[in-house]
Amino acid sequence: MPTIEIDGRKIEVEDGLTVIRAAERLGIEIPHYCWHPGLSIAGNCRMCLVEIEKLPKLQIACNTRVADGMVVHTTSEKTRTAQRAVLEFLLINHPIDCPVCDQAGECKLQEYYMDYDRQRSRFPLPGKVRKRKAKPIGPLVILDQERCVLCSRCVRFVDEVTHTSELAFYQRGDHVDLDLAPGKVLDNPYSGNVVDICPVGALTSRDFRFRARVWYLERAESVCGACANGCNIEIYHREGTIFRFQPRENDAVNEYWMCDAGRLSYRDLQGEGRLTQPFARSADEFAPVSWESALATVAAHLREGKVGIVVSARASNEEIFLIRRIAETAGARLAGISWSPPGAFHDDFLVKADKNPNTQGLRLQGVALDGAADELLAAARDGSIRTLVLHRADLAAWRDAGSALERVPYLIVIDTDRSETAQYANVVLPVATYAESDGTFANHAGRVQRFRRAVMPPGEAKAGWDALGAVLGALGGGVRFDGPEAVFAALAAECGALNGMSYAALGALGQPVASAR
Ligand code: SF4
Ligand code: SF4
Ligand code: FES
């Protein structure tokens, strides 16, 4: 293994590693535009030039492999001069858009100018080459050609990752344009990723632009709940509102990417129909009640026996665990349901046909799936189940469930939204979405991953683990867990596949269950 020295610090790295990667391991940032770890190396921006002893010219760190004894300088005067020259060159024709550019705050031109350049322009403003501004190039993306630094990341993405080749360069010299290929529109299931990888404000999101300045937003690490892949994401939010999802690197799940449907699924988490307080039906009135009174009513019906519980694959592992405890305490029949629209889009990259985030979680905890929910609903129809609990299971539109929901004497609905199912309910308990609480999902491959609370649940809605813990408490079902981490610890101790896991061990990237290791 070669040993190299970067800025006076030695490191031993594997053969074939590039200098930019080796520097990363030492925590040394080498500025770069065109290089992206998920794409081939283009080596065209020259921003990563570094000085390497014994070599007559500066070399690009993104495409230079380490060699034993190599000595690299990333802050020498020669390197600094090259960095300033590259930035000056890139800025000659760049528009003075920063105050009106939606990339401000996360723009690599702004950042590198402040870190490596800080010189006044020597070029007169009127001489700038003007190009097309604000051109929609697809349902999610808008292009500003003047701002493009011609790094080709977006071109390589559509060539190498989606293999759809909607983007290319045209013309020559300082008139080169990034543009759509003739007859094409940037409309593939992963198009939004080009916005994330564009280092400047040339490609911006039609969904997000001008809605918030990024420096006002906070971030929470989470996983996308829109399908069983469990892509790792960051939730950008401010004052209780979610503004966008962006992918978070996890080589074992989604590398650097996410699909467009998942990216926009944050909207579903903050729709108009959110439940904000418990409701209960008395005589003909369906009215808000306190949690205390709702829980007392729920517990009283669960104690009467003949109880059936349906839990959907939208529930977290912690919620499934508590639901199982509730079922045991009440002597209830329990069934799981994992429903996706027929013909739902899927591919062989990230998107799964299973549009639920935690079908594997139900399996891991041994909750019966497939026909079990049908049997339970049949029992509700024939009167052998008198109290039915639906946890995150909007069944009204599912097969012929409506007739069972109409007939069952007592229906308890625990969910996030005023669904059609909730219209049949005797009691409704409002719970949080996964962006409003902490917990874990197991993805299609059995990888257990944490999601973290970004925003608070609306009104009186409780986190799912908290609501179910309260039901269990009202039922007299043993210990009250003081947080989702404690629930997960109890689950991991009991469930062989999760043995040894904890929130700390899952960390930011999750862990595979025992059978998938
Ligand atoms: S649009 Fe952005 S990602 Fe594409 S080449 Fe230009 S600067 Fe690079
Ligand atoms: S592939 Fe699935 S988990 Fe990943 S972003 Fe899309 S919907 Fe979300
Ligand atoms: S990052 Fe190395 S040449 Fe662009």
Side-chain angles (χ1 to χ4, degrees):
M1 295 229 295
T3 299
I4 69 163
E5 187 184 308
I6 306 178
D7 295 344
R9 293 162 65 194
K10 288 205 164 88
I11 184 171
E12 198 183 12
V13 293
E14 62 272 24
D15 237 342
L17 197 73
T18 54
V19 171
I20 203 168
R21 282 292 210 185
E24 230 176 37
R25 298 217 184 139
L26 286 168
I28 296 172
E29 194 209 20
I30 297 178
H32 55 276
Y33 288 110
C34 67
W35 180 73
H36 185 284
L39 303 171
S40 65
I41 297 171
N44 61 18
C45 74
R46 320 311 281 182
M47 190 63 218
C48 66
L49 284 168
V50 290
E51 186 181 354
I52 299 179
E53 285 186 13
K54 296 192 184 138
L55 294 180
K57 289 183 178 173
L58 299 183
Q59 301 293 317
I60 50 171
C62 66
N63 201 23
T64 302
R65 311 277 155 182
V66 296
D68 197 37
M70 190 181 250
V71 180
V72 181
H73 300 285
T74 74
T75 57
S76 64
E77 197 40 48
K78 267 189 179 174
T79 309
R80 290 273 187 217
T81 304
Q83 289 164 341
R84 277 195 297 273
V86 170
L87 280 166
E88 181 171 37
F89 178 68
L90 288 176
L91 289 167
I92 291 174
N93 285 309
H94 199 79
I96 314 297
D97 273 0
C98 295
V100 295
C101 177
D102 202 53
Q103 189 82 357
E106 50 186 358
C107 171
K108 288 293 177 196
L109 268 177
Q110 282 189 336
E111 286 169 21
Y112 291 164
Y113 174 81
M114 296 309 288
D115 291 345
Y116 303 99
D117 194 6
R118 292 198 185 219
Q119 57 186 326
R120 294 188 72 83
S121 173
R122 291 185 288 168
F123 295 87
L125 270 183
K128 285 182 187 282
V129 176
R130 306 308 305 266
K131 295 181 186 172
R132 178 94 186 257
K133 301 190 78 64
K135 173 182 177 179
I137 56 169
L140 256 61
V141 184
I142 210 153
L143 166 66
D144 188 306
Q145 289 175 324
E146 278 183 353
R147 297 180 191 159
C148 174
V149 293
L150 308 173
C151 72
S152 82
R153 280 183 176 187
C154 57
V155 178
R156 280 174 284 146
F157 177 81
V158 295
D159 284 348
E160 299 165 10
V161 180
T162 60
H163 306 287
T164 45
S165 300
E166 296 98 339
L167 298 169
F169 290 129
Y170 299 91
Q171 310 303 333
R172 288 288 179 272
D174 59 5
H175 282 68
V176 172
D177 278 337
L178 180 274
D179 210 341
L180 287 168
K184 294 221 178 192
V185 175
L186 184 61
D187 188 10
N188 67 61
Y190 299 91
S191 69
N193 292 287
V194 298
V195 172
D196 305 331
I197 61 175
C198 180
V200 299
L203 298 174
T204 50
S205 160
R206 296 179 74 173
D207 178 63
F208 175 70
R209 69 202 303 257
F210 305 130
R211 288 180 54 224
R213 284 302 203 182
V214 285
W215 54 82
Y216 291 128
L217 300 182
E218 292 177 76
R219 284 185 270 183
E221 286 181 350
S222 190
V223 290
C224 172
C227 93
N229 203 53
C231 292
N232 288 212
I233 59 166
E234 278 185 328
I235 301 179
Y236 284 73
H237 60 96
R238 185 187 182 198
E239 291 174 4
T241 301
I242 299 171
F243 284 86
R244 69 177 179 187
F245 282 178
Q246 274 193 341
R248 180 167 60 87
E249 180 184 348
N250 187 336
D251 290 344
V253 181
N254 54 304
E255 301 172 12
Y256 308 91
W257 323 119
M258 72 185 299
C259 79
D260 290 350
R263 189 181 293 272
L264 296 182
S265 66
Y266 77 90
R267 296 171 180 169
D268 304 336
L269 304 180
Q270 43 194 12
E272 292 292 302
R274 290 298 303 278
L275 289 162
T276 56
Q277 55 195 141
F279 277 83
R281 198 179 296 282
S282 56
D284 276 344
E285 207 193 21
F286 199 43
V289 292
S290 68
W291 268 96
E292 213 176 11
S293 128
L295 288 169
T297 316
V298 165
H301 281 86
L302 293 179
R303 272 192 217 103
E304 279 174 12
K306 292 191 174 180
V307 177
I309 304 179
V310 179
V311 54
S312 89
R314 290 195 294 127
S316 67
N317 293 316
E318 292 75 3
E319 291 170 26
I320 298 167
F321 175 79
L322 291 166
I323 281 276
R324 286 172 45 235
R325 284 267 173 103
I326 291 169
E328 278 162 28
T329 310
R333 289 170 61 178
L334 175 63
I337 181 170
S338 175
W339 184 85
S340 301
F345 174 75
H346 60 100
D347 58 24
D348 55 9
F349 184 33
L350 299 179
V351 185
K352 301 293 173 285
D354 179 2
K355 298 302 172 196
N356 301 280
N358 204 23
T359 305
Q360 287 297 347
L362 289 173
R363 294 206 176 99
L364 287 171
Q365 295 195 47
V367 177
L369 277 161
D370 305 320
D374 286 313
E375 285 169 27
L376 218 143
L377 291 173
R381 256 178 234 112
D382 71 22
S384 43
I385 279 180
R386 300 197 55 77
T387 296
L388 183 61
V389 182
L390 302 180
H391 182 69
R392 298 193 194 268
D394 182 9
L395 292 187
W398 187 66
R399 300 185 193 164
D400 55 350
S403 58
L405 303 185
E406 265 169 17
R407 264 181 239 174
V408 74
Y410 205 81
L411 179 65
I412 299 163
V413 167
I414 307 172
D415 217 332
T416 53
D417 287 77
R418 286 190 293 270
S419 61
E420 197 185 334
T421 301
Q423 313 297 324
Y424 294 95
N426 296 85
V427 171
V428 175
L429 302 181
V431 285
T433 66
Y434 69 88
E436 296 158 358
S437 61
D438 289 71
T440 58
F441 293 137
N443 82 347
H444 72 108
R447 189 178 189 85
V448 180
Q449 308 189 98
R450 287 184 65 185
F451 52 85
R452 292 168 175 77
R453 190 180 70 202
V455 293
M456 296 299 286
E460 294 175 27
K462 286 182 190 284
W465 66 268
D466 196 11
L468 294 174
V471 171
L472 192 59
L475 202 53
V479 287
R480 184 82 201 262
F481 296 97
D482 62 6
E485 190 166 1
V487 181
F488 188 80
L491 167 61
E494 170 214 272
C495 174
L498 305 182
N499 279 169
M501 286 187 185
S502 63
Y503 274 15
L506 291 178
L509 302 178
Q511 286 184 322
V513 292
S515 59
R517 274 171 217 163

